Amino acid sequence: MAQLAVPDLDQETAENLLTQLIGAPPSPPEGSGGSGGEGDVGTSAEQLSGPTNGRQQPHNGNLQDLGAAYMAVGEALGTTPPSPTGPNWRPLGPYTIPNGQTYGSARVNVSGRVSAIAVDPLNASHLLAGGAHGGVWESRDRGASWTPRTDNAATLTVGAIAFDPGTPTTVLAGTGEGNWWSWLGAGVLRSTDGGATWTTLCTAPFVGRGFYDLVIDRSAPTRVYAATTGGLYVSTNGGTTWTQRRAAVTWSVSVNAAGSEALAACSDGLFRSTDNGVTWNSVTLPGAPTALSRMATAIAPSDATIAYVWAASSTAAYLARRSGGTWTSVTAPAANLGQAWYDWFVAVSPDNAGQVYCGAISVYRGDLSGTTWTWRDIASQPSPGQSIHPDQHAIAFEPGQPQVVYIGNDGGLFRTPDRGATWQHLNNGLEITEFEYLAQDLGQSRWLLGGTQDNGTERWTGSSVWLHSQDGDGGDCAVNRTDPRTVFHTFFNMGIERSTSRGDWGTWTWTPPPVPSGEGSLFYPPVEASTTNGNTVAQGGGALYASRDNCANWTRLAFPSAATATAMYIPTADQIYVGTSDGRVFVTRFNTGTSNWGALTPLTTPRANAWVSDIHVDPADLNRIWVTHTTRSGGRAWRSTDGGSTWTDRTAGLPDLPLNAIEVHPENSNRIWVAADLGVYQSLDAGATWQVFSSSLPNAFVGDLLYHRHARVLRAGLRNRGVWEIPVDGWMTDPVCGVQWTGTVPANSSKRFFTWGWPATWHVLWTVMPASITAGVPSVSWQVQVERGDYEYATYWITVTNLTSVPVTFEGRYAVLSRY
């Protein structure tokens, strides 16, 4: 509630005016106080070790069971059309992100992880791209613009796309991405109009499994090969039904143009079929590693007697070439093998059986001259402007133009017109950025900071083109509520960078806590700043690290027994709550007398051995606490009204999926929003009942939620579909008008009034209307001046001048034109 003060009023009169204002017209202006912080969430479930792109997997138990639950929820959400009357979600981008990182000398525009590419065999302008969890996207202008085509499918995970080579109006897409999102597979999608619309062709046997490759036999298009996390499958009726031909994980399939030979790269080696995929025989590769991290295979399009295998163990890259029926190991490029399990491909130039492209973290083009191989890193080049993002996943050639090559990686989609000498990004409008976490400035309605997978930390200031704020993996982030010029971001593992310039490029300083060597943490450890006051910041790992001076100094607080922090919340500068991977919840309080943080004190555990994904504590009533879990098959949303002594399970009515984030309306503690792996859900009765709150939201993984209390919008960070927002009560369609005060100005004099506590995000118009009737001449004039009381609120000073020779009584009126 905005507040009024008039300089010459006594205290009793001023309080009476405030009482009148509190009962004023509908939707009156809000004042200061209350919560409304970031709501950043702890990351879900188990940590992967090693690769720099690793994240926690939000699942537990049987993956096929989770996949089935996912598919059921996705199908239900997909049938829900946008609301014709209620609020709907809308995208905030990023439309594109300039200044993205490469390992070369160039900076490039990026989007997000592309896991599959397909080019129309009869129309080179027609492209399809698959986001790892961003759905199928279509371009009709060689990637200059893009349209999402599967936002309402049961799952947006895509592992492979294939045009029917004879009838390219038919396209298949394998859902579930083998490289990461495998457990979210929901079968095969089919389009009969070239990728514009899609329907489910089959679900079995791919529910909860991911695709690495999908090949339609050119000689017999009803025969389709699928390389998946569940093995090697073959269909003889265009993908309607499938037969498993090998049980081992299969990464890659290649079929020659005549259909007489197929090669499959599997976790137990290379296998070959000459009877249309019915039987498969092991191929001996000279000098091949016995323990494979990854393998890919390709038959040369221009000479079916030539084939390649590109493989990796934990220590060495391996390349073999078949010629004349004999396999020979050849000199391999010096590839980085740190994440071969995740980014790997091989392809042969359509017009040159002696030219091969090997994808890993970078892309290497090999050219054979006689018996000598020459290798060139074409993705990370010293020439300005001629590099692409690292971590390569997919490759395709333009039909009839073998020098034109498309490559998809963690940064999006790129095209070279000259076999890798030069590059152009195709990331404008490809809105598939994978947001892990969000933070906001409550003094601005158009400002967000977000950490993204392998594309750094990004900042939004109202444009669909986002600022690239920092490189690396973007982890958790936070904003100082008192002074939002001070912001924080992380990479992966423990450590924090601070900017005092709102995250402008080049303004970050490394300010990590002093973590002992060997102490573990999540890949993306949780980070929080106080949601109300002060300079308290914390990061959680194998212990809790707290700072009261914006990371200049740190205090380490050990857990009572071994634990890993997964979620935190800081309702005030003097309390920090932290949840762990085994379901425990702790609080520490700052003792102003001793100037020390107290030991971590356990609350009652809501659910033992269940991963705590998010915590929310009401700053106005520290007894009101919410906890969510990602661990399924039990309670996943818990509410306490006694400071964590007892808990009430509020899960009933929510889908059987992991819950990742929770937000509570700061002025209505009964209004709650939670983010599940699919969908956002709302409760208006403190979790007693839940309703779907996902109108127009794509069926992507929802990782984080923020509610902006002044703009009255809820934001969601999606994994591979960017950031979206919804006005929780609908957009303002008419101004909110009212009388803020009634005053009197003596004859021929001026008097100044002020009203404070107005959100700085609001657009407010002030007018003065005389109550006294004086016909024929103007009675009053007024002047409005604005004081920015702090970074969140404004004070309006209104000077009223009486133009008459008698006292004038008037109304001070406001019109809120917009809150956004």
Side-chain angles (χ1 to χ4, degrees), residues 343-377:
D343 39 36
W344 203 255
F345 66 68
V346 70
V348 188
S349 294
D351 63 337
N352 183 353
Q355 186 174 74
V356 63
Y357 295 82
C358 295
I361 290 177
S362 198
V363 182
Y364 307 88
R365 194 192 74 203
D367 293 279
L368 179 61
S369 176
T371 59
T372 301
W373 283 94
T374 301
W375 291 98
R376 177 184 177 185
D377 183 341

Coordinates of all heavy atoms in Angstrom, one line a residue, residues 343-377:
D343 N 29.5 -35.5 -26.8 CA 29.5 -34.8 -28.1 C 30.5 -35.6 -29.1 O 31.7 -35.6 -28.9 CB 30.0 -33.4 -28.0 CG 31.0 -33.1 -26.9 OD1 31.9 -34.0 -26.8 OD2 31.0 -32.1 -26.3
W344 N 29.8 -36.2 -30.1 CA 30.6 -37.1 -31.0 C 29.9 -37.3 -32.3 O 28.7 -37.6 -32.2 CB 30.9 -38.4 -30.2 CG 32.0 -39.2 -30.7 CD1 32.0 -40.3 -31.5 CD2 33.4 -38.9 -30.4 NE1 33.3 -40.8 -31.7 CE2 34.2 -39.9 -31.0 CE3 34.1 -38.0 -29.7 CZ2 35.6 -40.0 -30.9 CZ3 35.4 -38.0 -29.6 CH2 36.2 -39.0 -30.2
F345 N 30.5 -37.2 -33.4 CA 29.9 -37.6 -34.7 C 31.0 -37.9 -35.7 O 32.2 -37.4 -35.5 CB 28.9 -36.6 -35.2 CG 29.4 -35.3 -35.6 CD1 30.2 -35.2 -36.8 CD2 29.1 -34.1 -35.0 CE1 30.7 -33.9 -37.2 CE2 29.5 -32.9 -35.4 CZ 30.4 -32.8 -36.5
V346 N 30.7 -38.6 -36.8 CA 31.6 -38.7 -37.9 C 30.7 -38.6 -39.2 O 29.6 -39.1 -39.2 CB 32.4 -40.0 -37.9 CG1 31.5 -41.2 -38.1 CG2 33.5 -39.9 -38.9
A347 N 31.2 -38.0 -40.2 CA 30.5 -37.9 -41.5 C 31.5 -37.8 -42.6 O 32.6 -37.2 -42.4 CB 29.6 -36.7 -41.5
V348 N 31.2 -38.4 -43.8 CA 32.0 -38.3 -45.0 C 31.5 -37.4 -46.0 O 30.2 -37.4 -46.2 CB 32.2 -39.8 -45.6 CG1 33.2 -39.8 -46.7 CG2 32.5 -40.8 -44.5
S349 N 32.3 -36.6 -46.6 CA 31.8 -35.7 -47.6 C 31.1 -36.4 -48.7 O 31.6 -37.5 -49.2 CB 33.0 -34.9 -48.3 OG 33.6 -34.0 -47.3
P350 N 29.9 -35.9 -49.2 CA 29.2 -36.7 -50.2 C 29.9 -36.8 -51.5 O 29.6 -37.8 -52.2 CB 27.9 -35.8 -50.4 CG 27.8 -35.0 -49.1 CD 29.2 -34.8 -48.6
D351 N 30.9 -36.0 -51.8 CA 31.6 -36.1 -53.1 C 33.0 -36.5 -53.0 O 33.7 -36.5 -54.0 CB 31.5 -34.7 -53.8 CG 32.3 -33.6 -53.0 OD1 32.4 -33.8 -51.7 OD2 32.7 -32.6 -53.6
N352 N 33.5 -36.9 -51.8 CA 34.9 -37.2 -51.6 C 35.0 -38.2 -50.5 O 34.9 -37.9 -49.3 CB 35.7 -35.9 -51.4 CG 37.2 -36.2 -51.2 OD1 37.7 -37.3 -51.3 ND2 38.0 -35.1 -51.1
A353 N 35.3 -39.4 -50.9 CA 35.4 -40.5 -49.9 C 36.7 -40.3 -49.0 O 36.8 -41.0 -48.0 CB 35.4 -41.9 -50.5
G354 N 37.6 -39.4 -49.4 CA 38.8 -39.2 -48.7 C 38.7 -37.9 -47.8 O 39.8 -37.4 -47.4
Q355 N 37.5 -37.4 -47.6 CA 37.4 -36.3 -46.8 C 36.4 -36.6 -45.7 O 35.2 -37.0 -46.0 CB 36.9 -35.0 -47.5 CG 36.9 -33.8 -46.7 CD 36.5 -32.6 -47.6 OE1 35.4 -32.4 -48.0 NE2 37.6 -31.7 -47.9
V356 N 36.8 -36.5 -44.4 CA 35.9 -36.9 -43.3 C 35.9 -35.8 -42.2 O 36.9 -35.1 -42.0 CB 36.4 -38.3 -42.7 CG1 37.8 -38.1 -42.1 CG2 35.5 -38.8 -41.7
Y357 N 34.7 -35.7 -41.6 CA 34.5 -34.8 -40.5 C 34.3 -35.5 -39.2 O 33.4 -36.4 -39.1 CB 33.3 -33.9 -40.8 CG 33.4 -33.0 -42.0 CD1 33.1 -33.5 -43.3 CD2 33.7 -31.7 -41.9 CE1 33.2 -32.7 -44.4 CE2 33.8 -30.8 -43.0 CZ 33.6 -31.3 -44.2 OH 33.7 -30.5 -45.4
C358 N 35.2 -35.2 -38.2 CA 35.1 -35.9 -36.9 C 34.7 -34.8 -35.9 O 35.4 -33.9 -35.6 CB 36.4 -36.5 -36.6 SG 36.9 -37.8 -37.6
G359 N 33.6 -35.0 -35.2 CA 33.1 -34.1 -34.2 C 33.4 -34.6 -32.8 O 33.2 -35.8 -32.5
A360 N 33.9 -33.7 -32.0 CA 34.1 -34.0 -30.6 C 33.7 -32.7 -29.9 O 32.7 -32.1 -30.1 CB 35.5 -34.5 -30.3
I361 N 34.6 -32.2 -29.0 CA 34.4 -30.8 -28.5 C 34.6 -29.8 -29.6 O 33.8 -28.9 -29.7 CB 35.4 -30.5 -27.3 CG1 35.0 -31.4 -26.1 CG2 35.4 -29.0 -27.0 CD1 35.9 -31.2 -24.9
S362 N 35.5 -30.1 -30.5 CA 35.7 -29.3 -31.7 C 35.4 -30.2 -32.9 O 34.9 -31.3 -32.7 CB 37.1 -28.8 -31.8 OG 37.2 -27.7 -32.7
V363 N 35.5 -29.6 -34.1 CA 35.3 -30.4 -35.3 C 36.6 -30.4 -36.1 O 37.2 -29.4 -36.3 CB 34.2 -29.7 -36.2 CG1 34.0 -30.6 -37.5 CG2 32.9 -29.6 -35.4
Y364 N 37.0 -31.6 -36.6 CA 38.2 -31.8 -37.3 C 37.9 -32.3 -38.7 O 37.1 -33.3 -38.8 CB 39.1 -32.8 -36.6 CG 39.4 -32.4 -35.2 CD1 38.5 -32.8 -34.1 CD2 40.4 -31.6 -34.8 CE1 38.7 -32.4 -32.8 CE2 40.6 -31.2 -33.5 CZ 39.8 -31.6 -32.5 OH 40.0 -31.2 -31.2
R365 N 38.4 -31.7 -39.7 CA 38.2 -32.2 -41.1 C 39.5 -32.8 -41.5 O 40.6 -32.2 -41.5 CB 37.9 -31.0 -42.1 CG 37.4 -31.5 -43.4 CD 37.4 -30.4 -44.4 NE 38.7 -30.0 -44.9 CZ 39.0 -28.8 -45.4 NH1 38.1 -27.9 -45.5 NH2 40.2 -28.6 -45.8
G366 N 39.4 -34.1 -41.9 CA 40.6 -34.8 -42.4 C 40.5 -35.0 -43.9 O 39.5 -35.3 -44.5
D367 N 41.7 -34.7 -44.6 CA 41.8 -34.8 -46.0 C 42.9 -35.8 -46.4 O 44.1 -35.6 -45.9 CB 42.1 -33.5 -46.7 CG 40.9 -32.5 -46.5 OD1 40.0 -32.6 -47.3 OD2 40.9 -31.7 -45.6
L368 N 42.6 -36.8 -47.1 CA 43.5 -37.9 -47.5 C 44.1 -37.6 -48.8 O 43.4 -37.4 -49.8 CB 42.8 -39.2 -47.5 CG 43.6 -40.4 -47.9 CD1 44.8 -40.7 -46.9 CD2 42.7 -41.7 -48.0
S369 N 45.4 -37.6 -48.9 CA 46.1 -37.4 -50.2 C 47.2 -38.5 -50.2 O 48.1 -38.6 -49.5 CB 46.9 -36.0 -50.2 OG 47.6 -35.9 -51.4
G370 N 46.9 -39.5 -51.1 CA 47.7 -40.7 -51.2 C 47.5 -41.5 -50.0 O 46.4 -42.0 -49.7
T371 N 48.5 -41.6 -49.1 CA 48.4 -42.3 -47.9 C 48.6 -41.4 -46.7 O 48.7 -41.8 -45.5 CB 49.5 -43.4 -47.8 OG1 50.8 -42.8 -47.9 CG2 49.3 -44.4 -48.9
T372 N 48.6 -40.1 -46.9 CA 48.8 -39.1 -45.9 C 47.5 -38.3 -45.5 O 46.8 -37.8 -46.4 CB 49.9 -38.1 -46.3 OG1 51.1 -38.8 -46.6 CG2 50.2 -37.1 -45.2
W373 N 47.2 -38.3 -44.2 CA 46.1 -37.5 -43.7 C 46.6 -36.2 -43.2 O 47.6 -36.0 -42.5 CB 45.4 -38.3 -42.6 CG 44.6 -39.4 -43.0 CD1 44.9 -40.7 -43.1 CD2 43.2 -39.3 -43.4 NE1 43.9 -41.4 -43.6 CE2 42.8 -40.6 -43.8 CE3 42.3 -38.3 -43.6 CZ2 41.5 -40.9 -44.2 CZ3 41.0 -38.5 -44.0 CH2 40.6 -39.8 -44.3
T374 N 45.8 -35.1 -43.6 CA 46.0 -33.8 -43.1 C 44.8 -33.4 -42.3 O 43.7 -33.5 -42.8 CB 46.3 -32.8 -44.2 OG1 47.4 -33.2 -45.0 CG2 46.5 -31.4 -43.6
W375 N 45.0 -32.9 -41.0 CA 43.9 -32.6 -40.2 C 43.8 -31.1 -39.9 O 44.9 -30.5 -39.7 CB 43.9 -33.4 -38.9 CG 43.7 -34.8 -39.0 CD1 44.6 -35.8 -39.2 CD2 42.4 -35.5 -39.2 NE1 44.0 -37.0 -39.4 CE2 42.7 -36.8 -39.4 CE3 41.1 -35.0 -39.2 CZ2 41.6 -37.8 -39.5 CZ3 40.1 -35.9 -39.3 CH2 40.3 -37.3 -39.5
R376 N 42.6 -30.6 -39.9 CA 42.4 -29.2 -39.6 C 41.3 -29.0 -38.6 O 40.2 -29.6 -38.8 CB 42.1 -28.4 -40.9 CG 41.9 -26.9 -40.6 CD 41.5 -26.2 -41.9 NE 41.2 -24.8 -41.7 CZ 40.7 -23.9 -42.6 NH1 40.6 -24.4 -43.8 NH2 40.4 -22.7 -42.3
D377 N 41.5 -28.3 -37.5 CA 40.4 -27.9 -36.6 C 39.6 -26.8 -37.2 O 40.1 -25.6 -37.3 CB 41.0 -27.5 -35.3 CG 39.9 -27.2 -34.2 OD1 38.8 -27.0 -34.6 OD2 40.3 -27.2 -33.0

